[in-house]
């Protein structure tokens, strides 16, 4: 964090009216990024499957979280429908997401609605975040907020961040950090409210924050104070969830689904591509050895790798255990001008082994896309092709 003599157009986040000051505090990274990174680190640690961001605004946090492989459902709720529609497309999958599908399904949905309304589609979530939200609620909504989020939705974990007003004197001419803020709490005020809510709805809570104060002002605490609430006893039981009646008060304004290996068509595309690449890698790596053996043997099947067929010199780097597994698997061989790679050999490679549980599964998926031997135990490829002739293998 630095202090500079300058005119600053931001109190902390770069989105407020121009405020003159003698000493402006600049956070590195910016404070909003520190808040989002805090949530991302929490997601990395606890690996929730269902995450909702209440008051998601421009969806910046959702865009950061959607890359987490553990998340299968990501929801944003905000009162500003136009902003949700404008930013929705930024959450859609890109070309790269189709070329390299996720392991697990991911659905992202944006809802227009108030965080103090009950919608049953947000029941059963692992994590709900409320980043710089509660200070925008008037007294009536603030009173209803715990009833909805803690009492009705009752997720396993809730993260709430809000400004620490004790830090505000370090920002000259600042009373509230945003004209829409209805209040800003001291650490004692926030902790008193949080402990009361946690006790009432059977949660535990711990306090931390982001935005370190400058040297000499450590007593004011973090610029942003954060409460991490955890449901005592873990997740809500199925019986509790089943007692809730369907209440769909939010308006869905955007939804998208990402390609994943759980979807048959994408799984097949990935598996066929990986098998083809591995077969081609083995074929090319064995062409020089095949040329040395030409004329020495007839057209009977020839083991072209010996007891330890070489692992291709390009591609992934294998551990010693992985190398041993590959070397101990059935070896590719030639019959005439055909090159055979046993499926068991392919399954010895880590990436293919992760994709396929067994030989039967691999065979059933690739059979109509890749040539197989008559007994279906090996992939068959031409030993030489046009490009080999051009480059004189």
């Amino acid at each position: 964090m630095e202090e500079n003599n300058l005119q600053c157009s931001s109190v902390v986040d770069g989105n407020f009216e121009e405020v003159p000051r003698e000493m402006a505090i600049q956070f590195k990274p910016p404070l909003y990024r520190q808040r989002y990174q805090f949530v991302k680190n929490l997601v990395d640690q606890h690996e929730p499957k269902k995450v909702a961001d209440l008051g998601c605004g421009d969806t910046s946090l959702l865009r950061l979280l959607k890359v987490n492989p553990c998340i299968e459902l990501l929801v944003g709720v905000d009162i500003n429908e136009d902003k949700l529609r404008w930013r929705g497309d930024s959450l859609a999958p890109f070309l790269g997401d189709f070329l390299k599908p996720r392991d697990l399904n991911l659905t992202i949905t944006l809802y227009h609605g108030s965080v103090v309304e009950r919608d049953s589609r947000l029941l059963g979530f692992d994590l709900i975040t409320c980043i710089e939200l509660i200070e925008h609620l008037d007294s009536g909504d603030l009173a209803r907020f715990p009833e909805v989020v803690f009492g009705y939705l009752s997720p396993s974990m809730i993260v709430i961040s809000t400004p620490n007003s004790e830090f505000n004197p370090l920002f000259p001419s600042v009373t509230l950090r945003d004209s829409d803020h209805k209040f800003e709490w001291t650490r004692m005020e926030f902790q008193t409210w949080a402990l009361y809510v946690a006790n009432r709805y059977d949660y535990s809570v711990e306090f931390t924050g982001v935005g370190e104060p400058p040297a000499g002002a450590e007593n004011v605490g973090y610029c942003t104070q954060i409460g991490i609430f955890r449901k005592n006893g873990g997740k809500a039981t199925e019986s509790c969830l089943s007692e809730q009646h369907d209440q769909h008060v939010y308006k869905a304004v955007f939804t998208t689904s990402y390609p994943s290996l759980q979807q048959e068509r994408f799984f097949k595309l990935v598996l066929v591509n990986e098998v083809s690449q591995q077969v081609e890698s083995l074929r090319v790596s064995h062409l020089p050895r095949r040329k040395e053996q030409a004329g020495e043997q007839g057209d009977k099947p020839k083991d072209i790798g010996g007891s330890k067929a070489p692992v291709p010199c390009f591609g992934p780097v294998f551990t010693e255990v992985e190398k041993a597994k590959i070397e101990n698997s059935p070896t590719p061989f030639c019959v005439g001008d055909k090159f055979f790679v046993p499926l068991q050999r392919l399954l010895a490679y880590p990436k293919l082994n992760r994709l396929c549980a067994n030989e039967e599964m691999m065979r059933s998926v690739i059979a109509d896309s890749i040539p197989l031997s008559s007994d279906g135990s090996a992939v068959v490829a031409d030993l030489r092709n046009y490009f080999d002739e051009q480059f004189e293998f």
Side-chain angles (χ1 to χ4, degrees), residues 150-167:
F150 290 83
Y152 177 70
L153 299 180
S154 192
S156 300
M157 185 181 299
I158 301 169
V159 175
I160 296 177
S161 79
T162 192
N164 168 20
S165 65
E166 295 171 72
F167 202 101

Side-chain angles (χ1 to χ4, degrees), residues 78-105:
D78 202 90
I79 199 68
N80 189 327
E81 182 177 357
D82 290 338
K83 185 177 289 187
L84 292 178
R85 291 189 180 279
W86 177 56
R87 300 302 298 174
D89 287 344
S90 66
L91 295 169
F94 297 111
L95 176 60
D97 296 307
F98 290 91
L99 296 175
K100 190 176 181 180
R102 296 165 47 95
D103 286 347
L104 302 175
N105 289 328

Side-chain angles (χ1 to χ4, degrees), residues 254-325:
F254 174 83
T255 188
T256 188
S257 294
Y258 276 63
S260 83
L261 297 179
Q262 292 186 321
Q263 299 162 29
E264 184 177 350
R265 64 184 180 123
F266 290 113
F267 174 73
K268 180 176 181 178
L269 284 171
V270 170
L271 182 59
V272 167
N273 181 59
E274 290 298 328
V275 167
S276 299
Q277 287 188 28
Q278 189 59 61
V279 169
E280 178 63 8
S281 174
L282 289 168
R283 186 191 71 82
V284 170
S285 68
H286 285 303
L287 276 175
R289 178 169 297 189
R290 170 65 173 176
K291 187 174 182 180
E292 291 176 4
Q293 294 176 340
E296 296 180 5
Q297 300 181 25
D299 282 342
K300 62 182 180 180
K302 294 182 285 290
D303 181 327
I304 60 175
S307 61
K308 292 188 177 182
V311 175
C313 60
F314 50 90
V317 176
F318 302 113
T319 66
E320 292 302 317
V321 172
E322 290 168 345
K323 287 180 182 179
K325 185 176 181 180

Side-chain angles (χ1 to χ4, degrees), residues 2-46:
E2 296 180 352
E3 295 183 358
N4 295 308
N5 293 315
L6 45 77
Q7 287 271 57
C8 185
S9 60
S10 166
V11 173
V12 280
D13 283 333
N15 57 350
F16 309 138
E17 294 180 0
E18 194 166 277
V19 178
R21 68 191 62 178
E22 295 178 357
M23 299 292 286
I25 297 177
Q26 294 185 328
F27 293 97
K28 291 185 178 181
L31 194 57
Y32 75 93
R33 290 187 183 175
Q34 293 187 42
R35 290 192 287 260
Y36 293 161
Q37 188 62 47
F38 179 90
V39 174
K40 187 178 186 307
N41 292 343
L42 207 61
V43 169
D44 291 339
Q45 179 183 354
H46 295 280

Side-chain angles (χ1 to χ4, degrees), residues 105-123:
N105 289 328
L106 170 63
T107 298
I108 301 177
T109 301
L110 299 180
Y111 291 115
H112 170 238
S114 169
V115 298
V116 297
E117 295 177 306
R118 301 185 179 203
D119 193 298
S120 59
R121 289 169 291 187
L122 268 69
L123 292 172

Side-chain angles (χ1 to χ4, degrees), residues 341-383:
V341 182
L343 299 189
Q344 285 296 327
R345 175 67 171 214
L346 294 171
L347 285 169
Y349 289 93
K351 195 166 186 178
L352 285 167
N353 185 258
R354 185 178 69 86
L355 288 170
C356 266
N358 52 59
E359 181 179 345
E360 181 55 39
M361 180 181 180
M362 177 178 287
R363 181 166 39 247
S364 65
V365 174
I366 70 174
D368 62 351
S369 302
I370 295 178
L372 298 177
S373 59
S374 58
D375 63 357
S377 66
V379 170
V380 183
D382 290 332
L383 183 61

